[in-house]
Amino acid sequence: MKITVEIQCDGLVGPTHNYAGLAWGNLASMRHGQQTANPRLAALQGLAKMELVAGLGITQLVLPPHQRPDLGLLRRLGFCGSDAQVIRRAMRHAPPLAAWSAAAMWAANAASVSPSADCADGRIHFTPANLIGQLHRSIEAATTARILRAIFSTPQFFAHHDPLPPVPALGDEGAANQLRLAPPGGRRGLEIFVYGSDGLASANTADRPARRYPARQTAAASAAVARNHGLHSRAVAFIRQNPAAIDAGVFHNDVIALSQDNVLICHEHAFATGAVEDIRRRYRMLFRTEPVICVVPDRRFSLADAVDTYLFNSQLLTLPDGRRLWLAPEECQHHRRAMDVLQSLQDQGIFAVLKFVNVRQSMHNGGGPACLRLRVVATAVELAAVHQGVMLTATLAGRLRQWIQRHYRDRLSPRDLADPKLSSESCAALDELVTILCLPGIYDL
Ligand code: SUG
């Protein structure tokens, strides 16, 4: 049995972080739209979380932000001239604010990832999410693919797939809709894909349940990812999200469920009826042992509580000594019912240590601690093949902090996005960042 580590890959918040209210069905984004953001604080909060995790002896890696505004998108939409003219012209019309979105910070949506122990060819597989549900996120896939290929570059260990075709029937939002259960100790796991709509199967039928908010992940997309990754059919479960959860603002599964090792924590209304029993049965068949499943009842903690606090969007981390740490958003600390749930999980031995983290700038756009990170389970040999320039050390953290202080604004309203200087400031920042991270060639600067 090979010992594995779980690499936490966090998206560094980009210089154009703003509140444009772009994400329909994501209540925090809808509520905070048009407010003034603080990109510098957002980036520092994200970095502080990374430092906290790295300080616990957990492997932490930095994913660079994407280049914004996306002038290529603006030109494709028919705005022409010099870069400054393109920006001014775009802002004069109904401005496609998507081009300024810093949403790539939510790395849990960057890709689906399967550890080598789960894949037929014994390599770690990556599929960048196509994120086709919303324009501002659909522009991420190409850069994400480039960044992942640059960081996990050794073909002997890492396999990279293209994002799925960009059509609604194959909507894919990555690891935010993936769970994985495995007995402790680095073995194969049961990969659980959570979807909101059937995709291909129901694309042409009129019997889809009416909903307030869209389901972003399709079963057809999840099945395609599982096939591409070479997952064994016995080690995969496809679980339907409860439409009531989506309508309550649970736009990704990681707002309502989380997993680590052999532990699954979910809300009573996270999944369709029978899903938890299905997971339990499959786990038992695969590993001849019981998983630990905690279902949080709605009467103790409602769907609205889950969306308000992001309790389920905590990071459950396994410390080097084998104990588990629950890293919750600070919002939980001031919420009595969230604290009661945490106390009961701790009493059941789900985790030994509880910590809180302030990522409020991200939270106001609907992204909690777990949204900001992508997990990659790797063996020691695989870890050694990862690009070392992005591994968070105290030195790198110090350099990034200075870089943020130097380049980021501390106020950015949607109206400020029209300023062509913001674009040149961002380019200058990213130009320096590729040197800091030793990642040339990921942007077209
Ligand atoms: O896709 N918010 C993101 C939040 C993603 C959170 N990720 C996970 N749950 N894993 C989204 O809804 C808001 C952008 C804006 O409104 O400007 C936004 O895109």
Side-chain angles (χ1 to χ4, degrees):
M1 194 193 325
K2 291 184 188 136
I3 303 299
T4 56
V5 294
E6 186 180 80
I7 312 172
Q8 309 294 313
C9 309
D10 273 51
L12 190 57
V13 178
T16 63
H17 160 66
N18 70 89
Y19 298 126
L22 297 177
W24 179 244
N26 165 346
L27 302 189
S29 157
M30 290 159 70
R31 279 181 197 140
H32 293 96
Q34 308 313 314
Q35 292 192 1
T36 298
N38 184 336
R40 187 189 298 164
L41 182 60
L44 291 174
Q45 287 176 344
L47 181 61
K49 175 169 90 73
M50 294 187 231
E51 286 183 273
L52 189 158
V53 170
L56 297 164
I58 293 170
T59 309
Q60 177 70 58
L61 178 159
V62 183
L63 294 172
H66 294 193
Q67 190 179 349
R68 297 288 180 268
D70 185 339
L71 294 175
L73 171 67
L74 295 178
R75 289 183 191 282
R76 264 189 288 156
L77 296 179
F79 302 107
C80 54
S82 66
D83 289 355
Q85 280 169 329
V86 165
I87 291 168
R88 262 197 303 273
R89 286 176 178 153
M91 294 305 286
R92 225 180 289 138
H93 298 78
L97 296 181
W100 281 265
S101 173
M105 70 170 87
W106 297 299
N109 304 120
S112 302
V113 184
S114 297
S116 52
D118 298 355
C119 301
D121 67 0
R123 297 188 293 166
I124 300 179
H125 282 244
F126 298 85
T127 301
N130 60 23
L131 293 163
I132 49 95
Q134 306 171 96
L135 179 61
H136 72 287
R137 304 226 56 184
S138 68
I139 55 178
E140 292 173 32
T143 305
T144 297
R146 221 183 299 164
I147 290 172
L148 290 176
R149 283 172 193 266
I151 293 176
F152 303 94
S153 62
T154 314
Q156 185 191 346
F157 299 122
F158 309 119
H160 294 273
H161 301 274
D162 288 336
L164 296 175
V167 292
L170 290 169
D172 176 23
E173 306 245 336
N177 296 318
Q178 243 186 327
L179 297 160
R180 181 172 184 269
L181 292 176
R187 285 171 38 193
R188 178 165 77 153
L190 171 65
E191 294 205 16
I192 303 162
F193 291 83
V194 186
Y195 63 90
S197 86
D198 289 346
L200 292 178
S202 66
N204 298 317
T205 65
D207 63 353
R208 279 171 286 167
R211 290 210 184 100
R212 197 180 316 155
Y213 298 130
R216 298 198 195 178
Q217 181 81 33
T218 71
S222 300
V225 170
R227 273 191 300 273
N228 277 331
H229 289 198
L231 305 181
H232 195 288
S233 58
R234 280 183 58 227
V236 185
F238 298 101
I239 298 295
R240 192 179 189 111
Q241 268 181 295
N242 185 341
I246 298 175
D247 278 351
V250 178
F251 54 96
H252 289 137
N253 177 64
D254 65 3
V255 179
I256 201 76
L258 71 159
S259 64
Q260 179 74 359
D261 305 329
N262 56 345
V263 176
L264 169 67
I265 321 277
C266 61
H267 187 274
E268 179 184 354
H269 297 323
F271 310 126
T273 316
V276 170
E277 273 325 300
D278 190 23
I279 293 171
R280 199 187 295 281
R281 199 178 50 246
R282 280 169 188 273
Y283 188 94
R284 216 183 274 145
M285 270 167 48
L286 203 56
F287 301 117
R288 310 252 163 248
T289 158
E290 289 292 319
V292 178
I293 301 185
C294 301
V295 179
V296 177
D298 190 61
R299 69 186 148 70
R300 282 185 56 200
F301 194 71
S302 67
L303 284 174
D305 289 337
V307 174
D308 284 347
T309 61
Y310 269 48
L311 171 71
F312 294 93
N313 203 259
S314 299
Q315 283 177 258
L316 188 52
L317 296 159
T318 306
L319 297 167
D321 63 9
R323 291 180 312 152
R324 275 190 293 266
L325 176 134
W326 187 290
L327 185 58
E330 234 178 48
E331 283 69 5
C332 295
Q333 211 170 355
H334 313 293
H335 193 280
R336 191 179 46 80
R337 290 185 296 283
M339 290 306 289
D340 286 348
V341 172
L342 285 170
Q343 186 62 57
S344 129
L345 291 172
Q346 188 160 22
D347 293 346
Q348 292 171 66
I350 299 300
F351 62 88
V353 189
L354 174 62
K355 281 189 187 293
F356 297 93
V357 67
N358 176 1
V359 288
R360 191 144 309 130
Q361 283 285 319
S362 165
M363 286 282 283
H364 283 183
N365 250 340
C371 299
L372 287 160
R373 70 94 165 87
L374 182 69
R375 294 185 278 190
V376 178
V377 173
T379 63
V381 187
E382 290 159 352
L383 177 62
V386 177
H387 172 60
Q388 295 299 301
V390 289
M391 293 297 180
L392 194 81
T393 57
T395 313
L396 177 58
R399 288 188 77 186
L400 289 174
R401 194 171 309 105
Q402 282 177 9
W403 170 81
I404 293 165
Q405 301 279 15
R406 211 154 1 94
H407 289 284
Y408 281 51
R409 297 188 182 190
D410 61 3
R411 282 180 61 82
L412 198 59
S413 71
R415 220 170 334 119
D416 299 329
L417 301 176
D419 180 1
K421 281 213 296 287
L422 179 65
S423 175
S424 40
E425 283 167 23
S426 299
C427 278
L430 298 189
D431 198 25
E432 196 181 320
L433 184 65
V434 292
T435 309
I436 296 175
L437 300 179
C438 308
L439 269 181
I442 54 168
Y443 306 119
D444 307 310
L445 292 168

